[in-house]
């Protein structure tokens, strides 16, 4: 694998179910030589590593498997075509080995086969085929292979296996429970229970024992250790009592068996895992929705004009793609012909479809409405806006919230402490429990081991973050990391950039005065502006929508001043005042007065004249977004101080502040001063959010506690910012703050329940209530409680989805 620029490699993990497991994997990776950086992202079920040499990847995979966790890899054998000698085999082998995502590869010249193990999220059979083709050989790949190789299918198969195991475990445990409760006295009761519980504990529950052993070899312990110890003790104790009942009878005691406890605990824990997996699948629905937005095939227009159905992977930048009514747009590009309305709500959260004409941008994942058009692909694959959004959401869901650091510390010592408590409970019962002390002691130890639940603790924060980030994405709010989601609720000062944030960021005609209001003049003005390439001309064309277009002769663009054209042997001018002065054109007093008035409000003034006199004057300025006033009112109601910063002059800034109701503003601010202003507010003890859309805002965005970029702005602003509002609508900011409050509340509830559950459950399991009211917790009930605790945490996180 090429590692010169230290590319991040993602290893998809299996069985890493909570933060506690993630910590164990982290420790394991830390010991692998050649790994430069490593981080386990629990929610994305992957470890992100950078390596110094490609051998380290295989080592990392081995280290993870040694700890009893899995890495989803695919092993495959493909025939290599076109090899003529042994050195062909070695060159084919080395090119495959150097592909991103390949763990190991070997080509056998005798059989002509390539045996390769690779990460399905980093590469696939067709990429390997392309690599082999690039040096003159070929790989034989069957179509269905391509389909089977997704992580999705690997997860689905695992879920199916878990389901089968759970169903069997419950089916086999039922007779054991029934006999233990009601039919203890039937002949061979113990042997029947033993026969039914053995496959449950030793076959269906074997993974707990295997993984516990692997953990023990590495001097660590996790959830599996607790399950293996508890079921193992209960099972072995029961087998001993069944075979050597006399040992107790001689001591005047009855030999009880606890097969039902061992079997039911395994069944319950498998059921808990199944429910938890299902619920976790729901928490990641946001990413699945985003990924499902891109169509699998597109129609590419060939150079000879024919249409060809092409797989999305094979589309290149520069291809012309046909979009029919109702189809999804596959990649980012520019419309070349035709026009249609496109629904972009899945990216921006804005419900109203947007009109797309020639030279307008379209984005992957958006849905074409009734028209049909062709567009040229500009960004494909990982470059599209949709791919960036998916990556951002994944990174955010994989990041840790500050709260997590404390939880991690507890998770790290949790299992050893629980084992300690179990041993202590056994000793106390043994010493103080009288005749039956040893049996009660064993049961208490088993119950303690069963009820303790590190998973609930480990899932409390990540699941809430996952749902919160996903919900944001669905609403058009992209959150880059868990920390900003946690901080946003504390924001008490927001700095808004003016252009493109509060205002539309594009010029519009806001006032016109005519000398004598005749339609002929309007037609001529529209026709000249239609031909002009000046950016302000478009605003005038939009404004004069109803006028007719007439033919002009002799159109000239005069750089820096405007344009000139002839119609019916009369010359007409559109442009600034200089243009009129140079051509000795007179200006009526009322027009001049109006122009001065607009000048004071810092609007751009454009003149329209014939060869003798000025016919009209127009004012152009940047309009305030319709939603800005409402958003500003909402934020002020939340008790947040708002500040507007702009590079514009004082008059413009004052006008905008008055229209929107912003109390504090600063005009003529240079980009570097924006960041200074952020620091100034922070020094007064405020938690500052900066909202901007341009490259000029990037330093201020980087300085602020919470940075929010407008999605229609520059890429740099979006790279720096921790949150992006895709639709550039300010009302999303109060929504983001509400989402932050709800997510943090959910995290706190989850942690509270997880802690309380363990704090109350463990002492009761140890038998603390026995001296008071004779209550002893049945190990089976403990198993059910433990399974429920994780499920309840995940379910509570899912409640976030339905909150307003």
């Amino acid at each position: 694998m090429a590692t010169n620029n230290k590319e991040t490699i993602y290893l998809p993990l299996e069985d890493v179910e909570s933060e506690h497991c993630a910590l164990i994997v982290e420790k394991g990776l830390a010991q692998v030589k050649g790994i430069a950086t490593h981080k386990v992202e629990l929610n994305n079920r992957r470890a992100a590593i950078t390596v110094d040499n490609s051998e380290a990847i295989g080592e990392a995979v081995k280290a993870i498997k040694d700890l009893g966790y899995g890495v989803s890899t695919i092993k495959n054998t493909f025939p290599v075509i076109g090899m003529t000698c042994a050195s062909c085999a070695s060159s084919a082998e080395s090119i495959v080995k150097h592909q991103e995502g390949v763990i190991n590869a070997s080509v056998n010249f005798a059989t002509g086969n390539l045996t390769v193990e690779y990460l399905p999220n980093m590469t696939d059979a067709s990429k390997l085929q392309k690599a082999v083709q690039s040096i003159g050989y070929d790989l034989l790949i069957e179509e269905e292979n391509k389909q089977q190789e997704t992580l999705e299918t690997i997860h689905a198969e695992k879920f199916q296996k878990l389901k089968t195991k759970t169903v069997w475990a419950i089916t086999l445990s039922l007779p054991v429970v029934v006999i233990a409760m009601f039919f203890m006295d039937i002949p061979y009761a113990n042997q029947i229970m033993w026969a039914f519980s053995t496959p449950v504990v030793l076959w269906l529950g074997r993974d707990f024992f295997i993984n516990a052993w692997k953990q023990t070899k590495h001097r660590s312990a996790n959830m599996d250790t607790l399950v293996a110890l508890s079921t193992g003790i209960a099972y072995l104790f029961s087998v001993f009592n069944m075979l050597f009942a006399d040992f107790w009878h001689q001591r005047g005691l009855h030999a009880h068996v606890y097969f039902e406890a061992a079997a039911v605990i395994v069944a319950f824990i498998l059921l808990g895992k199944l429910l938890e997996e299902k619920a976790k699948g729901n928490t990641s629905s946001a990413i699945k929705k985003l990924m499902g937005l891109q169509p699998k095939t597109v129609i590419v227009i060939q150079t000879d004009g024919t249409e060809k159905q092409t797989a999305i992977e094979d589309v290149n930048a520069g291809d012309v793609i046909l979009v029919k009514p109702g189809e999804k747009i596959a990649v980012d590009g520019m419309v070349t012909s035709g026009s249609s309305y496109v629904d972009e709500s899945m990216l921006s959260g804005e419900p109203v479809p947007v009109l797309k004409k020639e030279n307008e941008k379209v984005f992957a994942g958006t849905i074409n409405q009734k028209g049909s058009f062709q567009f040229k692909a500009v960004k494909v694959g990982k470059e599209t806006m949709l791919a960036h959004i998916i990556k951002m959401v994944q990174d955010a869901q994989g990041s840790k919230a500050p709260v997590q650091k404390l939880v991690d510390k507890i998770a790290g010592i949790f299992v050893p402490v629980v084992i300690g408590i179990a041993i202590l409970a056994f000793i106390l019962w043994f010493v103080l429990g009288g005749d039956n002390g040893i049996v009660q002691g064993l049961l208490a130890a088993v119950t303690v081991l069963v009820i303790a639940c590190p998973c609930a603790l480990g899932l409390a924060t990540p699941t809430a973050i996952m749902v919160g980030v996903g919900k944001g994405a669905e609403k058009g709010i992209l959150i880059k990391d868990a920390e900003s989601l946690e901080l946003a609720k504390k924001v008490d000062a927001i700095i808004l950039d003016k252009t493109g944030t509060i205002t539309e960021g594009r010029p519009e005609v806001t006032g016109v005065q005519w000398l004598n209001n005749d339609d002929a003049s309007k037609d001529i003005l529209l026709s000249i502006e239609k031909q002009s390439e000046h950016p302000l001309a478009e605003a005038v064309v939009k404004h004069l929508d109803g006028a007719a277009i007439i033919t002009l002769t002799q159109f000239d663009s005069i750089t820096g001043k405007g344009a000139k054209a002839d119609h019916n042997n009369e010359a007409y001018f559109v442009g600034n005042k200089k243009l009129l002065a140079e051509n000795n054109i007179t200006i009526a007093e009322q027009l001049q007065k109006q122009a001065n008035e607009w000048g004071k409000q810092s609007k751009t003034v454009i003149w329209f004249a014939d060869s003798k006199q000025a016919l009209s004057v127009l004012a152009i300025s940047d309009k305030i977004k319709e939603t800005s006033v409402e958003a500003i009112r909402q934020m002020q109601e939340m008790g947040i101080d708002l500040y507007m910063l702009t590079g514009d002059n004082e008059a413009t800034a004052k006008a905008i502040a008055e229209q929107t109701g912003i109390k504090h503003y600063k005009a003529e601010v240079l980009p570097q001063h924006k960041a200074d202003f952020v620091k100034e507010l922070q020094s007064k003890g405020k938690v500052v959010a900066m909202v901007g859309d341009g490259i000029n805002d990037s330093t201020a965005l980087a300085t602020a506690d919470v940075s929010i970029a407008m999605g229609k702005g520059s890429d740099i602003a979006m790279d720096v910012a921790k949150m992006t509002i895709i639709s550039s609508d300010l009302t999303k900011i109060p929504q983001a703050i509400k989402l932050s409050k709800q997510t943090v509340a959910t995290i706190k509830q989850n942690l509270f329940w997880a802690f309380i559950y363990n704090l109350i459950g463990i002492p009761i399991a140890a038998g603390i209530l026995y001296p008071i009211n004779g209550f002893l917790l049945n190990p089976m009930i403990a198993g059910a409680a433990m399974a429920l605790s994780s499920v309840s945490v995940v379910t509570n996180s899912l409640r976030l989805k339905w909150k307003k």
Side-chain angles (χ1 to χ4, degrees):
M1 184 183 289
T3 49
N4 41 12
N5 55 351
K6 291 228 174 138
E7 183 110 355
T8 305
I9 292 138
Y10 294 107
L11 306 174
L13 300 174
E14 294 173 5
D15 306 317
V16 177
E17 298 299 352
S18 74
E19 274 301 341
H20 182 218
C21 303
L23 284 178
I24 293 171
V25 175
E26 287 264 10
K27 277 185 197 151
L29 287 173
Q31 285 156 10
V32 178
K33 284 194 179 65
I35 292 186
T37 62
H38 56 86
K39 173 185 172 213
V40 175
E41 299 178 359
L42 174 67
N43 282 330
N44 295 331
R45 301 189 181 189
R46 64 186 189 188
I49 59 170
T50 57
V51 293
D52 300 326
N53 56 39
S54 46
E55 281 73 55
I57 299 158
E59 289 299 313
V61 172
K62 190 173 167 301
I64 294 169
K65 288 186 172 167
D66 276 351
L67 284 167
Y69 300 105
V71 178
S72 313
T73 60
I74 283 174
K75 277 186 178 158
N76 238 327
T77 305
F78 303 111
V80 185
I81 302 165
M83 290 194 299
T84 53
C85 62
S87 68
C88 302
S90 68
S91 57
E93 181 176 312
S94 88
I95 188 119
V96 173
K97 270 191 177 158
H98 283 91
Q99 290 307 302
E100 182 184 62
V102 172
I103 298 167
N104 49 44
S106 67
V107 174
N108 179 332
F109 179 57
T111 58
N113 283 346
L114 156 74
T115 308
V116 59
E117 184 178 6
Y118 59 88
L119 302 166
N121 54 328
M122 302 279 291
T123 187
D124 55 42
S126 50
K127 279 186 190 154
L128 298 179
Q129 182 183 33
K130 277 181 190 155
V132 175
Q133 284 167 348
S134 71
I135 54 166
Y137 313 113
D138 201 353
L139 281 189
L140 205 61
I141 309 178
E142 286 156 13
E143 269 308 304
E144 64 267 22
N145 276 354
K146 291 185 184 173
Q147 265 50 60
Q148 290 163 1
E149 295 175 358
T150 55
L151 270 181
E152 282 288 300
T153 46
I154 293 177
H155 280 309
E157 277 167 25
K158 270 203 69 184
F159 184 74
Q160 208 42 54
K161 267 190 197 149
L162 181 60
K163 200 169 170 181
T164 317
K165 264 191 190 171
T166 310
V167 171
W168 272 108
I170 292 171
T171 316
L172 292 171
S173 305
L174 272 174
V176 187
V177 177
V178 173
I179 293 174
M181 296 226 169
F182 311 110
F183 302 110
M184 257 331 284
D185 303 327
I186 59 169
Y188 300 115
N190 289 357
Q191 283 78 353
I192 295 170
M193 291 197 291
W194 174 69
F196 274 106
S197 61
T198 302
V200 177
V201 177
L202 301 184
W203 178 247
L204 299 169
R206 68 186 186 281
D207 288 349
F208 296 124
F209 294 97
I210 296 169
N211 294 341
W213 172 242
K214 286 180 175 173
Q215 293 277 326
T216 314
K217 283 197 298 197
H218 288 270
R219 298 217 176 96
S220 69
N222 68 353
M223 178 65 211
D224 293 328
T225 316
L226 296 179
V227 178
L229 275 174
S230 54
T231 53
I233 291 170
Y235 179 79
L236 291 174
F237 183 58
S238 305
V239 172
F240 177 84
N241 290 359
M242 177 179 79
L243 299 177
F244 307 106
D246 294 349
F247 176 81
W248 300 105
H249 294 158
Q250 286 159 11
R251 290 167 178 68
L253 294 170
H254 184 60
H256 266 296
V257 293
Y258 296 98
F259 287 121
E260 81 283 3
V264 171
I265 289 166
V266 171
F268 269 139
I269 287 169
L270 286 172
L271 178 66
K273 272 195 165 183
L274 186 75
L275 294 173
E276 194 186 300
E277 281 298 310
K278 206 167 171 56
K280 272 206 219 145
N282 284 336
T283 58
S284 62
S285 61
I287 289 243
K288 291 198 187 103
K289 270 186 200 159
L290 286 169
M291 287 180 162
L293 290 175
Q294 198 173 27
K296 299 278 176 281
T297 59
V298 294
I299 295 171
V300 174
I301 306 286
Q302 304 294 309
T303 40
D304 57 5
T306 54
E307 298 178 3
K308 182 184 174 207
Q309 189 106 356
T310 309
I312 184 80
E313 297 83 32
D314 300 333
V315 174
N316 299 312
D319 286 354
V320 176
I321 296 168
L322 172 70
V323 183
K324 295 179 176 168
E327 284 187 344
K328 286 179 181 163
I329 291 163
V331 295
D332 294 6
M334 292 281 265
V335 179
T336 51
S337 67
S339 70
S340 175
Y341 281 92
V342 173
D343 174 8
E344 295 188 342
S345 61
M346 62 295 299
L347 296 187
S348 65
E350 293 298 301
V352 186
V354 190
L355 178 62
K356 299 288 179 181
K357 314 191 287 289
E358 262 177 61
N359 295 334
E360 297 217 4
K361 289 182 183 168
V362 289
F363 299 103
T366 56
I367 301 172
N368 179 29
Q369 302 287 296
K370 298 192 173 76
S372 130
F373 60 88
Q374 293 181 11
F375 74 95
K376 186 162 123 210
V378 177
K379 289 182 176 172
V380 298
K382 290 183 181 158
E383 299 302 307
T384 64
M385 177 149 154
L386 181 66
H388 280 302
I389 290 175
I390 290 173
K391 185 168 176 353
M392 229 163 120
V393 174
Q394 261 182 334
D395 289 347
Q397 292 185 338
S399 66
K400 283 190 183 183
V403 175
Q404 192 64 45
K405 298 196 176 59
L406 164 75
V407 181
D408 284 353
K409 281 192 184 128
I410 294 164
I413 56 166
F414 188 88
V415 177
V417 167
V418 169
I419 294 173
I421 294 172
I423 294 169
L424 183 69
F426 175 71
I427 293 168
L428 285 174
W429 274 101
F430 186 66
V431 175
L432 309 170
D435 293 345
N436 228 358
I438 192 165
V439 179
Q440 294 295 10
L442 271 174
L443 280 182
V446 166
T447 313
V448 168
L449 292 170
V450 171
I451 203 161
C453 185
C455 289
L457 277 177
L459 288 167
T461 320
T463 49
I465 293 286
M466 196 156 180
V467 177
V469 169
K471 188 177 174 182
E474 282 170 19
K475 293 259 185 290
I477 305 162
L478 283 188
I479 299 160
K480 225 183 226 172
D481 61 13
E483 196 166 344
S484 47
L485 184 61
E486 208 177 302
L487 253 182
K489 72 181 268 283
K490 299 183 183 153
V491 167
D492 52 8
I494 296 182
I495 300 173
L496 301 164
D497 169 57
K498 178 187 79 75
T499 312
T501 302
I502 296 175
T503 64
E504 290 286 2
R506 55 167 189 269
E508 289 191 14
V509 174
T510 51
V512 187
Q513 178 140 1
W514 292 89
L515 186 61
N516 37 19
N517 201 357
D518 63 307
D519 287 341
S521 309
K522 286 183 186 170
D523 297 345
I524 296 166
L525 175 57
L526 174 68
S527 309
I528 296 175
E529 290 291 39
K530 196 85 177 168
Q531 288 192 30
S532 165
E533 285 166 9
H534 194 281
L536 294 178
E538 202 180 324
V540 178
V541 172
K542 240 187 187 156
H543 181 74
L544 294 170
D545 203 16
I549 295 177
I550 50 180
T551 43
L552 303 170
T553 49
Q554 199 74 38
F555 175 89
D556 288 317
S557 183
I558 306 160
T559 310
K561 292 170 192 160
K564 165 181 189 261
D566 294 354
H567 176 65
N568 290 348
N569 300 330
E570 171 67 76
Y572 290 93
F573 300 89
V574 179
N576 54 19
K577 204 165 171 189
K578 233 187 204 159
L579 183 67
L580 272 59
E582 282 174 11
N583 291 285
N584 302 325
I585 294 165
T586 56
I587 296 174
E589 193 182 325
Q590 76 241 45
L591 293 184
Q592 187 59 61
K593 206 165 121 197
Q594 182 63 63
N596 296 346
E597 181 79 18
W598 282 333
K600 279 182 200 151
Q601 294 171 19
S602 71
K603 294 182 176 180
T604 309
V605 175
I606 295 182
W607 295 88
F608 171 53
D610 57 21
S611 54
K612 299 182 220 36
Q613 58 174 2
L615 302 175
S616 96
V617 61
L618 299 91
I620 292 181
S621 69
D622 189 3
K623 203 173 114 210
I624 295 172
K625 287 183 198 164
E626 288 173 15
T627 52
S628 293
V629 181
E630 170 62 17
I632 285 163
R633 187 186 61 73
Q634 282 179 15
M635 287 186 270
Q636 284 170 336
E637 278 178 7
M638 289 167 102
I640 297 169
D641 295 339
L642 295 181
Y643 301 85
M644 178 179 81
L645 301 186
T646 175
D648 259 346
N649 56 33
E650 176 69 26
T652 312
K654 187 169 185 232
I656 300 277
E658 280 170 359
Q659 288 168 332
T660 52
I662 290 181
K663 297 182 184 65
H664 319 279
Y665 67 89
K666 277 191 157 185
E668 292 170 24
V669 181
L670 296 168
Q672 59 272 30
H673 296 157
K674 287 185 183 174
D676 296 340
F677 186 63
V678 173
K679 284 185 192 137
E680 185 187 317
L681 287 179
Q682 284 169 331
S683 66
K684 293 179 187 162
K686 292 201 173 291
V687 179
V688 183
M690 166 77 197
V691 187
D693 73 324
I695 294 172
N696 59 352
D697 300 321
S698 51
T699 21
L701 286 168
T703 315
D705 299 298
V706 176
S707 42
I708 304 173
M710 290 294 166
K712 293 199 174 126
S714 74
D715 291 350
I716 293 181
M718 285 187 263
D719 282 346
V720 174
K722 294 289 170 67
M723 291 190 185
T724 301
I725 308 284
I726 300 180
S727 65
S728 298
D729 170 358
L730 281 181
T731 50
K732 300 277 179 198
I733 294 174
Q735 284 181 20
I737 293 171
K738 266 188 206 135
L739 179 67
S740 165
K741 285 182 176 160
Q742 289 171 351
T743 308
V744 172
T746 304
I747 291 174
K748 284 183 177 158
Q749 291 158 8
N750 285 351
L751 285 173
F752 174 77
W753 282 117
F755 274 114
I756 287 292
Y757 164 81
N758 281 306
L759 285 173
I760 294 175
I762 292 173
I764 290 178
I768 202 164
L769 295 178
Y770 186 73
I772 304 163
N773 58 8
F775 179 78
L776 282 174
L777 188 61
N778 183 325
M780 293 196 285
I781 308 294
M786 130 95 222
L788 270 175
S789 66
S790 312
V791 178
S792 61
V793 164
V794 180
T795 316
N796 189 42
S797 294
L798 283 173
R799 280 181 44 231
L800 255 181
K801 270 188 165 174
W802 296 291
K803 284 193 176 158
K804 274 275 171 272

